[in-house]
Amino acid sequence: DFVLYNNGLVLRELSDRTGALIDVSGERDTPRRLSDRIVTISGQAEQKEGACRGIVERLRRLQDLQDPKEVGFFVVIVPASSVP
C-alpha cells in the first residue's frame, strides 16, 4: 500500500513537490465495505493536477504498466468543488 508506505513519505514528497495538500482517510473515516483509502487533494488547480498525476503515475509504475494505453486500474476522482 504505497499510500501508507514509510509513514506516508511518498505522499509527503509529492505534496512538497506540487504544493498540494494531500490527506489520506483513516480506518474510521472509510466505509467498512471499502478496502481502499480515500485520498483528498487540496490546493490550486495546477497543484491538484500535479498531485493527481503523480499518484496515477506511481500506481502505474507499481503495476509495471509501460504503455499509456494499458489499463491496470480504475480511478474515480470527485472534486469537492469545481475550479473555474
Side-chain angles (χ1 to χ4, degrees):
D1 182 333
F2 94 90
V3 169
L4 302 177
Y5 176 75
N6 204 9
N7 290 323
L9 181 63
V10 171
L11 293 182
R12 278 198 305 278
E13 289 175 350
L14 182 58
S15 180
D16 290 344
R17 190 174 75 233
T18 62
L21 299 173
I22 303 172
D23 183 54
V24 180
S25 65
E27 288 183 19
R28 294 181 182 180
D29 301 325
T30 307
R32 286 185 181 164
R33 66 184 181 279
L34 294 179
S35 61
D36 299 323
R37 300 290 182 142
I38 298 170
V39 178
T40 303
I41 303 171
S42 305
Q44 299 295 319
E46 62 276 357
Q47 294 169 323
K48 293 186 284 188
E49 182 179 330
C52 183
R53 185 179 297 115
I55 290 169
V56 170
E57 287 171 359
R58 175 73 180 202
L59 289 170
R60 290 187 62 78
R61 278 196 310 271
L62 288 172
Q63 294 182 29
D64 197 29
L65 300 173
Q66 309 288 321
D67 184 348
K69 294 178 184 176
E70 288 183 277
V71 178
F73 59 90
F74 188 78
V75 177
V76 177
I77 300 169
V78 181
S81 62
S82 61
V83 177

